[in-house]
Amino acid sequence: MPEHHPAFCVLLGPDYAGKSSAISLLRDTVPWRTLSVDDTHLAPEHTLLTRLRRDVVREVAERPGAWSPDFLATMLQTAAVHLRDRLCADPHTPAVVDSYYYKLLAKGRLAGADDHAGFAWWRTFPQPRRVIYLDVRPATAWRRSHDGRDLNRLEYYGPQPTADGFTRYQSDLAKTMHDEIAHLPVTVIGEHGDPAQTAEAIRKVLAHELG
């Protein structure tokens, strides 16, 4: 792994917290790189990750009896390593990283891969100056998911999406993520109705941390 990495912050939060919208708003208006594995942020040469993510949900998460939790975690590792690689590819430019490995690790643990050997390796990756955590009420997140119609199998408990299964999963996801970032400075940004307000609140934290 590269020895040098830039100053960076991580944008984190539960599902439907508004991270993707915030990253999109920040991308062209801040002097720092924005790194994400969302489809719209991947370079053409990295769209393999789009196909992998689709297949992880459709072929692995949807068929838990056919694949072990360790196999799921191994597939999730592709995204974690990609973000680390892109971060370290330019050691001189500060960056904002969407979720980094923290959310992937938390989802792997909730899927049953709590002792996956790769997680110890992920924890040796470069650590951010600060985590910016977007908080959101479960009812708001459920509404943003179009009452569960947009959810994938790694976003709720139970055989089918329900408000209760979604709320319980998101509560456990938040707790597991907070366990992973307990050693880091964290700034919590509360829920905003306007994505532009959220992006502006994030921008102020970044300006303080990354200059």
Side-chain angles (χ1 to χ4, degrees):
M1 189 177 76
E3 294 183 0
H4 303 291
H5 60 84
F8 71 104
C9 292
V10 168
L11 186 61
L12 191 62
D15 297 317
Y16 295 92
K19 297 185 308 302
S20 296
S21 296
I23 286 285
S24 294
L25 290 170
L26 291 169
R27 180 168 54 177
D28 298 324
T29 61
V30 295
W32 317 290
R33 289 185 297 152
T34 52
L35 304 179
S36 173
V37 293
D38 281 353
D39 297 352
T40 57
H41 296 275
L42 290 172
E45 63 269 27
H46 297 141
T47 54
L48 168 65
L49 286 168
T50 297
R51 301 193 299 276
L52 286 174
R53 181 169 59 181
R54 179 191 62 218
D55 289 343
V56 164
V57 172
R58 184 178 62 189
E59 300 293 337
V60 181
E62 290 285 356
R63 302 175 182 178
W67 308 93
S68 71
D70 280 343
F71 184 87
L72 172 63
T74 300
M75 294 295 289
L76 295 176
Q77 182 160 283
T78 59
V81 174
H82 173 74
L83 287 172
R84 185 212 63 178
D85 289 350
R86 298 314 303 159
L87 175 69
C88 296
D90 182 355
H92 305 295
T93 305
V96 186
V97 185
D98 182 359
S99 296
Y100 202 26
Y101 68 80
Y102 304 120
K103 191 172 184 180
L104 296 167
L105 195 156
K107 284 182 178 283
R109 289 180 59 188
L110 293 181
D114 197 60
D115 297 322
H116 182 63
F119 293 164
W121 180 44
W122 297 11
R123 293 179 180 120
T124 69
F125 289 4
Q127 297 297 294
R129 289 190 177 185
R130 180 169 297 275
V131 172
I132 304 170
Y133 189 90
L134 299 188
D135 205 6
V136 62
R137 293 175 298 171
T140 299
W142 176 252
R143 186 176 67 252
R144 289 175 179 175
S145 77
H146 296 104
D147 295 336
R149 291 190 297 275
D150 293 344
L151 297 181
N152 71 55
R153 196 60 186 81
L154 293 175
E155 295 175 336
Y156 61 90
Y157 288 134
Q160 299 295 330
T162 64
D164 177 68
F166 176 74
T167 298
R168 288 188 295 107
Y169 182 92
Q170 296 303 318
S171 175
D172 287 349
L173 178 66
K175 181 181 183 303
T176 307
M177 289 191 296
H178 279 297
D179 287 346
E180 289 297 329
I181 62 174
H183 63 293
L184 295 167
V186 178
T187 295
V188 176
I189 294 179
E191 182 181 322
H192 289 88
D194 182 0
Q197 291 180 331
T198 301
E200 180 58 28
I202 295 168
R203 191 180 293 111
K204 289 179 180 178
V205 178
L206 294 174
H208 177 75
E209 291 294 332
L210 301 180

